[in-house]
Amino acid sequence: MKHFLLKTAFAVTLLASSAVAMAQFNFQPRPYEAPKDGLKDAYKDYFMIGVAVNTRNVTDPDQIALIKREFNSITAENAMKPQPTEPEKGQYNWEDADKIANFCRENGIKLRGHCLMWHSQIGEWMYKDKKGNLLPKEQFYANMKSHITAIVTRYKDIVYCWDVVNEAMADEQRWPGASPYRQSPMFQIAGDEFIAKAFEYAHEADPDALLFYNDYNDADPGKCERIYQMVKKMKEAGVPIHGIGMQGHYNVYGPSEEDIDAAITKYATIVDNIHFTELDIRVNEDMGGALRFNQGAAQVSDWEKTLQEDQYMRLFKVLRKHKDVVKCVTFWNVGDADSWLGAANYPLLFDSKYQHKRSYTLVKTFDPAQDNATPKEDFVPSYFNQPGQEYPMVNSQGYARFRIDAPKAKSVIVSLGLGGQGGTVLRKGADGYWWGTTAGPMDEGFHYYRLTVDGGTFNDPGTGFYYGSCRWESGIEIPAHDQDFYADKNIPHGNLEEVLFWSESTKQLRKAIVYTPAGYDASNKKQKYPVLYLQHGWGENETSWPVQGRAGIIMDNMINEGRIQPFIVVMTYGMTNDFKFGTLGALSGDTFAKDFETVLVDELIPYIDSHYKTIADKDHRAMAGLSMGGMETHTITLRRPEVFSYYGLLSGGVYTPEEIANPAQVKGIFIGCGSKEGPDRIMQAADALQKAGFNAKGYVSEGTAHEFLTWRRCLYEMAPMLFK
């Protein structure tokens, strides 16, 4: 329940306190709330956070507010490139560049200059004559120096660094000994000397500016080596190259964090400044700065968003590691609507409406301690694995590790994740398996999960299957520090029996699982037992409490310890999965749980009383339920006070003194939840009941949320107060 409908389930929990609250609640999405601080504030101890802008971005009030909140470095996306600023020799167009520069001056934001020499977006006059022939080297150099001097001098008061030469290296070397350089007109005229000259002219125009060589596919090992060798050669020759600009036009599949880390480490041996200059991560397999690319699908799926979020998180973890040399990270555009890749490629942290995505939150709210966290290598197979299966594994800290065999897959995601993550993205290892470990320790206890392989939903063949979220899910058990109360022990054990009973109201045969304590069959025929009717939550069924909840084992251990006197537990399908969300008026009034009430009270209870040795009166009958099963409990116990004397709500809301018509009708009330579920409300409700004279107990499971360890603990705490 926790992982696939947590928001809904938790909202349902809040609804159960009263019919009025239920009637008033609705599932309308919360209005968008802009952040109060920005990325620049989150990364103030690491590096500057920049953004590429156009003139529209710096004239629209809403976009201006976003830019000022989030960024402390700006790059003119196109306005300072050679062709826009000098389309013809000596004919300058400074209008757009001036707007952006003035915006930076007025708002005290640093400006990156981009870019002085590039084979694209450059006037042909720079390197060709009027007949279309390449110019002599000396004339090309004169044109280049004139242009560089003019633009650098004009903006030297506000521009703190320049991308001097852009994309001069070849994407690949097709054969050994092939030139590592792009065969651009500039290279054809002057070879790699034109790179050195561009840096020399820029340095002459502004000796204080930091000068960068900028390129894409910068983490590809082959191209990384070519960039490295070129810059190293230039610096050894005295060329004033101060830094390397890694464009960062990546995708959700790559590059790997290992390749990014290796590239930064290598570049850092020859330069003191590395800027990520043009960062975006598209949701397809394209990469780099080529102008031919996929425009993207009409709809980006949740699993693709998860891949993107994971890639952003991995990247920024590497960047934080190298904060000594990485000095600025610039996103290539403000929001998806501006992106050169098109909004359908979903490449940035802000969407086409300039609202931040979940990837923004994950990048911004990092935990520095987790950057250097290393799980202990004491992993063992999970308790819920199928026989003989090694994976998934868990360790003593609560990390979970997965290994999946999917040799032709492009992506594998495990739905378990931390801190709002959409899951754990696995990476393909050299052995062909997909591997991954959760980013940190998981909450103790049982968790449902599933695999998403290239967009398809599958179960992990390493685990058993457990009914949750209205389907059979994979399951994993994170060992709890207090797991002894539900541990397997060599003690007398009761029986779990599946029974079939006819439901006239639904015209079908229905199932229940009945726990009878050890010695039940051998006991005196006259001995009779109280009964607890224990309900599951939304998305689950009658198997959930016996298997995920370990209800039978918990009962056995408590009886063996003398903590409780033996009683019967009946667990049946509560018809919760038939409920249609979006019609929440059905959660209040006379109609909610009416069909199940008939099945439970008028059909199942008579069946149990006629087939088992029960004490068939209300004083020896209890009803409790978790989440929506708690809502059903709340409604049915109040509507049928003649049936039950003990009530239990487990993450299922509260009772109030006012809604119980006759306090004498109730012998005990238990309400509990996890510490991550708003426990103050639970304890306040218990206190109000106690002050009103009820035998009531409130309980909070420390460190847990809307999950089965909460409910296991609740059962353990509730059982001793029943039937006293």
Side-chain angles (χ1 to χ4, degrees):
M1 278 188 78
K2 179 182 177 184
H3 300 288
F4 307 116
L5 209 70
L6 178 54
K7 291 183 180 178
T8 299
F10 185 64
V12 166
T13 300
L14 299 180
L15 295 179
S17 61
S18 70
V20 173
M22 289 189 285
Q24 291 177 343
F25 193 89
N26 63 72
F27 280 110
Q28 295 300 317
R30 294 177 62 185
Y32 175 78
E33 295 182 8
K36 292 181 172 56
D37 58 0
L39 292 165
K40 63 179 173 55
D41 304 302
Y43 282 89
K44 60 183 176 61
D45 296 327
Y46 292 87
F47 36 73
M48 291 189 294
I49 299 292
V51 65
V53 301
N54 54 48
T55 55
R56 184 181 66 256
N57 299 139
V58 298
T59 53
D60 179 271
D62 291 338
Q63 294 176 44
I64 289 173
L66 187 155
I67 291 168
K68 292 170 66 175
R69 182 187 72 231
E70 300 290 340
F71 306 107
N72 51 14
S73 176
I74 279 178
T75 301
E77 180 186 11
N78 290 302
M80 290 185 173
K81 289 175 179 176
Q83 195 278 335
T85 52
E86 194 175 2
E88 299 292 339
K89 185 174 182 177
Q91 297 180 11
Y92 296 104
N93 177 15
W94 304 117
E95 182 180 359
D96 287 350
D98 280 353
K99 285 181 180 178
I100 294 171
N102 289 335
F103 175 82
C104 291
R105 293 181 180 112
E106 292 164 4
N107 291 284
I109 301 176
K110 293 185 175 182
L111 180 62
R112 295 190 86 261
H114 176 81
C115 56
L116 298 177
M117 283 292 110
W118 188 26
H119 64 275
S120 182
Q121 287 185 265
I122 187 170
E124 289 190 350
W125 66 266
M126 185 83 71
Y127 55 82
K128 285 184 179 181
D129 62 23
K130 293 183 179 180
K131 295 181 179 181
N133 300 313
L134 295 178
L135 295 173
K137 181 168 66 172
E138 291 74 15
Q139 189 173 348
F140 165 56
Y141 283 167
N143 289 345
M144 183 167 62
K145 182 174 184 179
S146 172
H147 174 78
I148 290 174
T149 301
I151 189 169
V152 172
T153 301
R154 185 176 185 88
Y155 298 112
K156 65 189 300 182
D157 68 307
I158 189 63
V159 170
Y160 71 100
C161 67
W162 282 96
D163 295 326
V164 177
V165 176
N166 199 45
E167 302 174 7
M169 306 309 294
D171 288 339
E172 58 183 346
Q173 285 184 283
R174 297 185 178 182
W175 61 86
S179 172
Y181 294 96
R182 182 186 298 275
Q183 300 301 299
S184 68
M186 290 88 84
F187 182 83
Q188 293 175 39
I189 292 172
D192 64 358
E193 186 184 55
F194 92 90
I195 300 174
K197 288 296 184 181
F199 277 92
E200 290 171 9
Y201 300 152
H203 186 62
E204 289 174 6
D206 185 1
D208 296 326
L210 295 173
L211 307 180
F212 286 76
Y213 172 76
N214 192 53
D215 215 327
Y216 62 87
N217 288 358
D218 36 67
D220 173 78
K223 191 166 184 180
C224 171
E225 180 66 22
R226 293 191 288 280
I227 293 171
Y228 169 83
Q229 292 295 344
M230 182 274 290
V231 174
K232 182 172 182 290
K233 170 187 171 182
M234 293 285 174
K235 288 184 67 64
E236 288 174 348
V239 177
I241 301 179
H242 305 126
I244 292 175
M246 299 176 68
Q247 289 186 12
H249 292 302
Y250 300 155
N251 65 44
V252 295
Y253 301 103
S256 69
E257 58 190 311
E258 291 80 10
D259 282 349
I260 298 170
D261 181 73
I264 295 174
T265 300
K266 190 175 189 69
Y267 295 145
T269 63
I270 54 172
V271 294
D272 296 328
N273 298 278
I274 294 174
H275 285 193
F276 269 68
T277 55
E278 305 179 27
L279 179 59
D280 46 40
I281 298 178
R282 63 195 92 174
V283 288
N284 58 42
E285 296 180 77
D286 290 343
M287 191 182 299
L291 294 177
R292 291 185 177 182
F293 48 79
N294 293 313
Q295 290 298 313
Q299 184 69 34
V300 179
S301 62
D302 287 343
W303 67 272
E304 290 174 309
K305 293 177 182 179
T306 296
L307 291 177
Q308 185 192 61
E309 291 155 9
D310 180 76
Q311 186 74 320
Y312 265 122
M313 289 179 66
R314 289 174 186 261
L315 170 61
F316 271 83
K317 182 178 179 180
V318 173
L319 297 179
R320 291 192 296 269
K321 172 185 174 181
H322 291 283
K323 66 178 183 177
D324 59 325
V325 65
V326 174
K327 304 299 176 62
C328 183
V329 177
T330 296
F331 291 90
W332 204 242
N333 302 115
V334 179
D336 289 346
D338 306 306
S339 175
W340 69 294
L341 297 170
N345 269 316
Y346 203 69
L348 298 165
L349 299 187
F350 292 88
D351 65 19
S352 57
K353 296 181 179 179
Y354 301 100
Q355 296 185 352
H356 67 273
K357 306 173 185 176
R358 186 169 62 177
S359 52
Y360 166 92
T361 303
L362 295 173
V363 166
K364 182 180 176 184
T365 58
F366 62 93
D367 179 1
Q370 285 298 115
D371 282 352
N372 300 311
T374 302
K376 291 182 179 179
E377 291 302 323
D378 57 356
F379 286 88
V380 296
S382 169
Y383 175 88
F384 282 105
N385 283 8
Q386 295 191 40
Q389 296 298 311
E390 188 177 7
Y391 290 89
M393 304 182 90
V394 297
N395 78 350
S396 59
Q397 299 166 300
Y399 285 83
R401 178 168 291 169
F402 304 90
R403 184 187 72 178
I404 302 298
D405 184 14
K408 294 187 178 181
K410 294 180 181 178
S411 66
V412 179
I413 304 170
V414 176
S415 59
L416 292 178
L418 299 174
Q421 293 172 237
T424 298
V425 176
L426 310 190
R427 299 286 171 164
K428 197 170 187 178
D431 59 359
Y433 287 97
W434 291 82
W435 293 85
T437 304
T438 54
M442 303 294 298
D443 285 350
E444 297 176 335
F446 176 86
H447 302 271
Y448 298 110
Y449 73 95
R450 62 180 64 166
L451 306 177
T452 301
V453 181
D454 293 343
T457 300
F458 304 91
N459 282 350
D460 186 341
T463 75
F465 300 152
Y466 310 94
Y467 202 79
S469 304
C470 297
R471 68 184 298 272
W472 292 99
E473 300 280 11
S474 302
I476 192 170
E477 181 77 18
I478 306 298
H481 69 282
D482 59 345
Q483 63 186 338
D484 183 72
F485 76 91
Y486 59 88
D488 295 335
K489 299 178 182 180
N490 184 18
I491 60 173
H493 288 281
N495 291 318
L496 286 168
E497 178 183 20
E498 182 181 281
V499 300
L500 301 175
F501 66 98
W502 180 256
S503 166
E504 184 63 27
S505 65
T506 60
K507 302 296 184 184
Q508 61 180 281
L509 205 59
R510 307 190 74 91
K511 293 180 182 179
I513 295 179
V514 180
Y515 167 83
T516 52
Y520 173 87
D521 292 330
S523 64
N524 187 312
K525 291 184 178 181
K526 292 184 179 180
Q527 182 177 354
K528 296 182 181 297
Y529 297 84
V531 184
L532 165 63
Y533 289 85
L534 187 60
Q535 290 307 124
H536 58 82
W538 182 91
E540 295 163 337
N541 67 9
E542 68 278 359
T543 66
S544 301
W545 263 113
V547 182
Q548 295 94 289
R550 310 272 291 160
I553 296 297
I554 293 172
M555 291 293 297
D556 290 338
N557 290 342
M558 287 193 291
I559 293 170
N560 186 68
E561 294 167 1
R563 181 179 175 86
I564 62 171
Q565 293 299 310
F567 58 83
I568 296 169
V569 182
V570 178
M571 297 153 280
T572 192
Y573 173 52
M575 303 168 69
T576 54
N577 306 343
D578 301 330
F579 182 82
K580 303 301 181 185
F581 286 94
T583 57
L584 287 196
L587 291 178
S588 62
D590 295 334
T591 59
F592 175 66
K594 195 67 177 177
D595 291 343
F596 177 58
E597 177 186 329
T598 299
V599 171
L600 175 69
V601 176
D602 300 328
E603 297 169 345
L604 177 57
I605 289 178
Y607 177 90
I608 295 297
D609 286 342
S610 64
H611 287 74
Y612 289 87
K613 296 184 290 185
T614 68
I615 306 175
D617 61 47
K618 69 165 287 181
D619 287 348
H620 296 87
R621 202 178 287 131
M623 183 178 182
L626 66 88
S627 193
M628 187 174 278
M631 293 184 63
E632 292 179 325
T633 298
H634 179 272
T635 299
I636 293 172
T637 52
L638 293 180
R639 206 151 53 198
R640 301 293 293 270
E642 76 281 5
V643 180
F644 304 97
S645 281
Y646 296 89
Y647 308 165
L649 304 181
L650 322 182
S651 303
V654 300
Y655 290 99
T656 65
E658 295 77 19
E659 62 189 349
I660 300 175
N662 179 11
Q665 75 191 27
V666 186
K667 287 198 168 185
I669 297 176
F670 177 91
I671 51 177
C673 71
S675 63
K676 300 180 181 181
E677 296 187 273
D680 291 348
R681 180 170 164 274
I682 295 297
M683 300 310 292
Q684 290 167 3
D687 183 62
L689 289 167
Q690 291 164 5
K691 289 178 178 177
F694 290 89
N695 173 28
K697 178 177 181 178
Y699 170 73
V700 175
S701 168
E702 186 58 39
T704 58
H706 208 72
E707 54 197 311
F708 257 108
L709 184 54
T710 296
W711 307 320
R712 292 171 183 170
R713 288 172 175 170
C714 283
L715 176 59
Y716 184 73
E717 295 292 330
M718 176 180 68
M721 72 178 294
L722 301 180
F723 314 121
K724 294 293 180 66

